[in-house]
Structure formats: C-alpha cells, structure tokens
Amino acid sequence: MPALATHAYAHAEAVRATSVAWEVTGATRRGRVHAHAGDFREDAMAVHAADDLVLAVVSDGAGSAQWSRVGSEATCRAVIDA
C-alpha cells in the first residue's frame, strides 16, 4: 500500500463520519505501556459514510510484532476500500 509509506503514525487519532441517518465518532490513543517504552500506538480505525450508512472498522495491532501498527492500518484501509 503506497499510501502507508507517507502515513504519519500519531500517538492519538480521532475520526468522524456522517451520513443521512448516522454520525460516528471514534478515537484511539497510545496506552501507558507503549508511552513509557516510547513505542507507537498499535491500534487503527477507519470510517466511511455513504447515503444512509456508515462503515466503521477497527483493528487491534499485535504489540509484540514489529510492524503491527502498519498491519492494523493496512487492514482498516483495505476493508474501507473494498
């Protein structure tokens, strides 16, 4: 996924999507253990709104894996794109 090469992994993220019938807001932040170790936030989320529906996707990264933040981000984007 070329877009992930320039993606900025922030320590917190908030997303919002609004359709005719729904409004969804989500947020995630780096936990205490990751903050203490100076690690990245491993979780990801994405939302997409269209007409009368909102699709929300969340992914919990496996903190023990070196690139889990990339995997969780790629998973969310792939589901939304599909």
Side-chain angles (χ1 to χ4, degrees), residues 2-65:
L4 291 178
T6 59
H7 181 69
Y9 291 92
H11 296 308
E13 180 181 18
V15 295
R16 179 180 225 171
T18 304
S19 72
V20 173
W22 297 91
E23 180 175 328
V24 174
T25 303
T28 181
R29 71 176 187 89
R30 179 175 64 166
R32 280 188 315 220
V33 172
H34 290 292
H36 182 71
D39 293 334
F40 290 98
R41 173 181 50 85
E42 303 293 334
D43 304 332
M45 68 183 134
V47 294
H48 175 74
D51 298 329
D52 62 347
L53 67 92
V54 173
L55 177 63
V57 181
V58 296
S59 179
D60 182 26
S64 61

